[in-house]
Amino acid sequence: MNDTPPTPRRDLIAMISAIVPLYNEEESLDELYGRLTASLAAMGRAYEIVFVDDGSDDGTPSLIDELADRDRQVVALHLSRNFGHQPAVSAGLDHARGEVVVVIDGDLQDPPELIPSMVDQWRRGFEVVYAVRRRREETWPKRLGYFAFYRLLNAVSDIEIPLDSGDFCLMDRKVVDVLNHLPERMRFVRGLRSFVGFRQIGLEYDRPAREAGSPKYTFRRLFALAVDGLISFSGRPLRLATYLGLAAVGVATGLSAWIFHDAFAYGKSPPGWASTAVIVLFMGSVQLLSLGIIGEYIRLIFLEVKGRPTYIVRDRASKPRDSARRESDRP
Ligand code: UDP
Ligand code: MG
């Protein structure tokens, strides 16, 4: 990643947008809103908070509508059902209007207090500032899972995705526009963010545990996200199938040579059914694994080819800030 400090940019931000995907986050919403507002307002620039309600079935939708009603800086975007974290972030990116856009989780695991330092890096000329977790307060199986995932992804993917960086980041308008125009429907935002390039820099922070509520990513969903990330950014698993096939051919050849040798040299027949069973099982698993890998790619091709939208918006609530400003400006 290119992280040499580029030429400083002029100190002007017309507007900062913060995008917050929310799925049943009623418990942390008040505190989130307070801390986010404090952090954004302290910078003395215009800002907007885009809350994306990802088909929540608790009080989240009405809470964000209330906030949008009370606060001109808040936009409440409702998706028509639960589409998932990545689609919700994509919806926010499409609807954010700021020159600088911050993506932040709704469970306060991404501290809003980091935003001013991100903006400082942007002022230095960086176009993407992503947060890097120094420490994670999660259960150890989850930590191990993340650890393995990021390393595996980097080992096999064709682009370099920074280790331990999540979706918490700041992006320049240029980058957001490029992301919004990528034709892919299956969006693995942190991968695409690396793919587009630009001047990027990581900012370290300690990731706290969730404040309230339960993680929306179950182990199964995290595994699915990991597989999608791997498949979207690398063709190497396909090659793995080829290698496994070649290895199986090698083993089979060796074994046959050994059996023929024993038969002709000593007149021995090969021992027992156990070895046969092992070979059959081995071959069966290699074939199933290869089929599975191919199947994963076909699934993604299938999803892309259908061309269905990544998310669907039911409605968008916000106070008309521009017209309101114009009205109050009138003598
Ligand atoms: N989220 C979402 N849709 C989903 C699942 C999660 O919008 O289907 C939101 C969730 O409300 C939170 C963020 O995505 O703001 C990250 O979710 P979570 O905390 O469960 O993920 P983790 O921190 O475990 O990566
Ligand atoms: Mg979380």
Side-chain angles (χ1 to χ4, degrees):
M1 211 95 327
N2 180 6
D3 56 4
T4 44
T7 43
R9 109 189 21 238
R10 63 190 195 288
D11 179 24
L12 182 113
I13 307 177
M15 178 156 76
I16 308 177
S17 300
I19 298 172
V20 195
L22 297 168
Y23 180 53
N24 296 347
E25 300 287 4
E26 59 179 4
E27 284 148 278
S28 49
L29 201 57
D30 264 345
E31 193 189 335
L32 171 78
Y33 169 69
R35 282 171 58 185
L36 198 53
T37 302
S39 174
L40 289 169
M43 281 184 285
R45 312 278 168 201
Y47 66 89
E48 66 170 358
I49 302 177
V50 182
F51 285 122
V52 185
D53 157 40
D54 185 18
S56 304
D57 42 28
D58 65 350
T60 307
S62 51
L63 280 176
I64 62 173
D65 278 342
E66 253 168 55
L67 289 176
D69 204 41
R70 214 168 67 202
D71 184 344
R72 274 188 206 298
Q73 337 296 335
V74 173
V75 177
L77 194 66
H78 298 276
L79 302 191
S80 62
R81 63 168 168 85
N82 180 242
F83 281 88
H85 182 198
Q86 303 293 312
V89 170
S90 310
L93 288 176
D94 279 337
H95 286 81
R97 292 165 300 169
E99 268 185 4
V100 164
V101 177
V102 175
V103 177
I104 182 167
D105 273 1
D107 58 358
L108 290 167
Q109 282 194 292
D110 301 338
E113 292 71 27
L114 201 67
I115 296 176
S117 331
M118 290 177 146
V119 172
D120 282 345
Q121 295 295 338
W122 176 82
R123 283 205 186 104
R124 287 179 62 209
F126 290 104
E127 286 134 338
V128 174
V129 186
Y130 53 85
V132 180
R133 295 128 188 188
R134 200 181 300 136
R135 210 179 50 225
R136 240 176 221 283
E137 287 170 24
E138 305 263 17
T139 53
W140 73 262
K142 214 170 174 182
R143 280 216 308 266
L144 184 73
Y146 278 113
F147 182 87
F149 168 64
Y150 281 109
R151 271 131 199 101
L152 182 67
L153 187 60
N154 259 351
V156 303
S157 74
D158 307 324
I159 52 164
E160 194 184 318
I161 299 174
L163 294 178
D164 298 320
S165 68
D167 289 329
F168 185 22
C169 69
L170 174 149
M171 289 182 278
D172 188 271
R173 169 52 47 192
K174 274 186 283 187
V175 181
V176 175
D177 284 344
V178 172
L179 281 181
N180 289 346
H181 284 99
L182 288 178
E184 280 168 69
R185 318 256 156 196
M186 266 291 317
R187 282 171 177 265
F188 183 59
V189 177
R190 61 199 86 156
L192 293 175
R193 194 181 66 208
S194 301
F195 165 79
V196 297
F198 291 95
R199 296 196 192 97
Q200 307 212 353
I201 192 169
L203 207 60
E204 287 202 331
Y205 76 111
D206 293 324
R207 187 165 172 88
R210 233 172 198 280
E211 292 270 324
S214 55
K216 307 303 176 293
Y217 273 113
T218 55
F219 201 75
R220 197 170 58 90
R221 286 180 82 161
L222 270 180
F223 186 75
L225 181 72
V227 171
D228 285 347
L230 284 175
I231 301 289
S232 301
F233 285 93
S234 171
R236 245 176 258 182
L238 279 174
R239 189 136 322 142
L240 177 73
T242 315
Y243 290 151
L244 279 174
L246 284 175
V249 169
V251 171
T253 316
L255 270 178
S256 338
W258 175 53
I259 289 166
F260 278 120
H261 174 261
D262 272 9
F264 287 118
Y266 311 112
K268 278 201 296 192
S269 56
W273 65 274
S275 50
T276 318
V278 167
I279 292 167
V280 170
L281 269 180
F282 176 73
M283 288 312 301
S285 24
V286 166
Q287 282 170 11
L288 281 180
L289 182 67
S290 312
L291 258 184
I293 293 173
I294 298 169
E296 287 293 337
Y297 283 90
I298 295 181
R299 188 178 66 83
L300 280 200
I301 297 171
F302 175 60
L303 288 175
E304 294 292 340
V305 164
K306 278 190 295 186
R308 289 186 190 155
T310 311
Y311 61 86
I312 298 169
V313 175
R314 177 167 354 97
D315 60 52
R316 177 183 183 284
S318 68
K319 285 233 166 145
R321 48 193 295 154
D322 294 329
S323 57
R325 195 180 295 149
R326 250 175 269 130
E327 264 165 32
S328 61
D329 285 349
R330 256 176 233 144

